[in-house]
């Protein structure tokens, strides 16, 4: 009798564990996505604009013009959004975020550094990502291949980490020829068989950053203002560079970061793993928020004036010596 009781108890415990695991998986957080057209697609269709990146001219996608001019793009984004929503992924609508950006653009153009008069260094895509606060950018590009009366869609879809710009998921292929003239329908037919694998890759990456933190880049620089302070200046027997590196070590997830370059006036930290959320557990953490914590530490403990310049979700510059 005791043997059957033990066997029943083990079965009950196993059932409880399975139910618990299932409940945890059901409650797992999903990454927030935003679907955008690829750079190649925008270039092919002439939806680009020139952008002055600190004196260097760059060509970047003109998303506003693309959305206002190309109905196929609107249909494709709506279709991909629906496929993602069906799989439980929260979405940020690109068109609504662009409207928000346009309302803020005039204010942004008036922001200047108090010391140098420099404007904010931020590309249109960086501004879009910052406004949307998406975890992953789903980039889609396609072209239509015609074979007699039939046509098919050749596509490329990529998932890009919005903070590190690294590709974390991808798929490409060509759909079966069809008499349908609706590009969105052709694209849905082409990608549908691969969508579950694509979203599984996205979820796997998001679960990694939940555990190991977001990956960002932090630049540390010193103003050349004659103050005599640089990263080799000593405080209580430790150089300022050592103090900063110890703070980064203490505040990154699992102490994961890389100091890829350093001089007496410059440090570059990359592969910096920061917590996914701020201390309140709900607000997303980005490179600027993390760097501001470092700035407050240097101000309060070492009375060092500092300035933080945002370079997008995944990169931030801390300048020591002045505001």
């Amino acid at each position: 009798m005791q043997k059957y009781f033990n066997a029943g108890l083990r079965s009950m415990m196993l059932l409880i564990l399975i139910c618990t695991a299932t409940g945890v998986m059901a409650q797992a957080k999903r990454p927030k996505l935003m679907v955008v057209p690829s750079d190649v697609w925008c270039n092919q269709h002439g939806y680009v604009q020139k952008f002055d990146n600190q004196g260097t001219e760059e060509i970047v996608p003109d998303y506003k013009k693309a959305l206002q001019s190309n109905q196929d793009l609107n249909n494709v984004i709506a279709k991909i959004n629906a496929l993602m929503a069906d799989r439980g992924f929260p979405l940020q609508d690109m068109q609504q975020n662009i409207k928000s950006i346009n309302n803020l653009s005039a204010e942004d153009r008036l922001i200047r550094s108090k010391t140098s008069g420099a404007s904010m260094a931020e590309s249109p895509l960086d501004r879009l990502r910052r406004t949307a606060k998406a975890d992953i950018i789903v980039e889609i590009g396609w072209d239509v291949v015609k074979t007699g009366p039939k046509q098919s869609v050749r596509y490329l879809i990529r998932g890009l980490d919005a903070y590190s710009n690294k590709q974390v998921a991808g798929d490409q292929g060509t759909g079966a020829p069809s008499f349908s003239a609706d590009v969105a329908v052709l694209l849905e037919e082409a990608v549908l068989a691969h969508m579950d694998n694509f979203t599984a890759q996205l979820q796997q990456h998001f679960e990694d950053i939940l555990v190991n933190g977001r990956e960002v880049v932090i630049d540390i620089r010193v103003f050349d203002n004659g103050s005599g302070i640089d990263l080799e200046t000593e405080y209580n027997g430790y150089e300022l560079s050592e103090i900063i590196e110890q703070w980064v070590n203490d505040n990154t997830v699992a102490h994961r970061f890389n100091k890829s370059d350093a001089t007496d006036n410059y440090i570059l930290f990359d592969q910096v793993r920061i917590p996914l959320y701020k201390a309140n557990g709900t607000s997303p953490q980005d490179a600027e928020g993390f760097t501001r914590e470092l700035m407050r530490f240097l101000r309060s403990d070492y009375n060092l004036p500092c300035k933080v310049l945002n370079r997008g979700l995944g990169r931030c510059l801390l300048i020591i010596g002045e505001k």
Side-chain angles (χ1 to χ4, degrees):
M1 178 66 70
Q2 183 65 33
K3 178 177 69 174
Y4 293 114
F5 175 78
N6 290 339
L9 183 60
R10 284 195 297 270
S11 298
M12 184 177 295
M13 291 299 295
L14 179 61
L15 180 61
I16 291 172
L17 288 172
I18 292 172
C19 291
T20 302
T22 303
V24 170
M25 289 299 293
Q27 297 171 15
K29 292 184 178 180
R30 293 294 182 94
K32 187 187 297 182
L33 310 178
M34 182 170 62
V35 181
V36 304
S38 70
D39 289 5
V40 172
W41 187 91
C42 289
N43 282 326
Q44 288 175 341
H45 293 80
Y47 303 128
V48 294
Q49 59 181 333
K50 294 179 180 180
F51 168 64
D52 183 11
N53 185 9
Q54 297 181 321
T56 301
E57 186 178 82
E58 295 184 9
I59 297 176
V60 297
D62 188 340
Y63 297 122
K64 180 181 178 182
K65 182 179 179 181
L67 288 167
Q68 290 178 342
S69 307
N70 194 298
Q71 187 58 46
D72 280 344
L73 173 62
N74 286 278
N75 292 341
V76 165
I77 289 178
K79 185 63 68 176
I80 297 296
N81 281 348
L83 292 173
M84 292 295 179
D86 287 345
R87 287 156 178 79
F89 286 86
L91 295 154
Q92 284 286 328
D93 184 75
M94 183 175 70
Q95 193 164 31
Q96 292 304 315
N97 279 287
I98 287 176
K99 289 180 180 179
S100 298
I101 290 169
N102 290 337
N103 293 335
L104 296 172
S105 291
E107 296 178 17
D108 287 349
R109 285 194 291 269
L110 297 176
I111 298 176
R112 293 290 185 272
S113 165
K114 292 179 181 178
T115 304
S116 64
S119 60
M120 292 195 301
E122 192 173 29
S123 74
L125 181 55
D126 282 336
R127 192 175 294 120
L128 178 60
R129 290 174 174 176
R130 176 170 58 85
T131 305
K133 290 290 187 181
D135 299 295
I136 295 173
I137 303 297
V138 177
E139 190 180 78
I140 182 73
W142 73 92
D143 57 5
V144 177
V145 180
K146 293 187 177 181
T147 309
K150 295 183 179 182
Q151 58 184 6
S152 58
V153 163
R154 183 170 51 206
Y155 72 92
L156 172 65
I157 186 169
R158 301 195 301 160
L160 305 173
D161 185 294
Y163 291 73
S164 68
N165 295 322
K166 291 182 177 179
Q167 181 173 324
V168 298
D171 185 52
Q172 60 183 334
T174 303
S178 171
F179 289 105
S180 174
D182 192 326
V183 173
V185 172
L186 290 172
L187 187 64
E188 180 184 15
E189 293 172 351
V191 305
L192 195 56
H194 307 280
M195 186 55 68
D196 288 336
N197 180 56
F198 179 73
T199 54
Q201 293 177 55
L202 298 180
Q203 185 62 33
Q204 183 179 9
H205 170 71
F206 190 68
E207 288 170 359
D208 173 70
I209 62 176
L210 277 172
V211 175
N212 298 310
R214 297 189 189 279
E215 186 176 314
V216 301
V217 176
I218 308 295
D219 294 285
I220 310 293
R221 303 210 176 208
V222 178
F223 270 121
D224 182 17
N225 60 1
S227 65
I229 296 175
D230 61 25
L231 295 170
E232 293 182 345
T233 303
E234 292 192 7
Y235 297 86
N236 301 320
Y238 293 94
E239 291 186 356
L240 181 56
S241 62
E242 295 178 284
I243 294 169
I244 292 172
E245 185 172 350
Q246 186 61 50
W247 186 93
V248 173
N249 178 77
D250 293 342
N251 289 274
T252 46
V253 177
H255 316 292
R256 296 179 62 181
F257 69 96
N258 177 54
K259 186 170 75 172
S260 62
D261 196 9
T263 68
D264 57 340
N265 290 306
Y266 170 68
I267 302 176
L268 175 61
F269 294 111
D270 60 12
Q271 301 177 45
V272 180
R273 292 286 193 147
I274 66 173
L276 189 63
Y277 296 103
K278 295 180 179 179
N280 60 19
T282 57
S283 301
Q285 179 74 287
D286 58 15
E288 181 184 10
F290 183 79
T291 307
R292 286 192 178 279
E293 292 299 320
L294 172 57
M295 177 189 69
R296 293 185 185 99
F297 165 73
L298 294 175
R299 283 179 176 176
S300 63
D301 287 34
Y302 296 93
N303 197 30
L304 286 171
C306 303
K307 184 178 187 66
V308 170
L309 292 178
N310 181 19
R311 289 183 164 178
L313 284 175
R315 188 160 191 156
C316 197
L317 170 64
L318 174 66
I319 307 177
I320 300 171
E322 288 183 5
K323 285 196 66 176

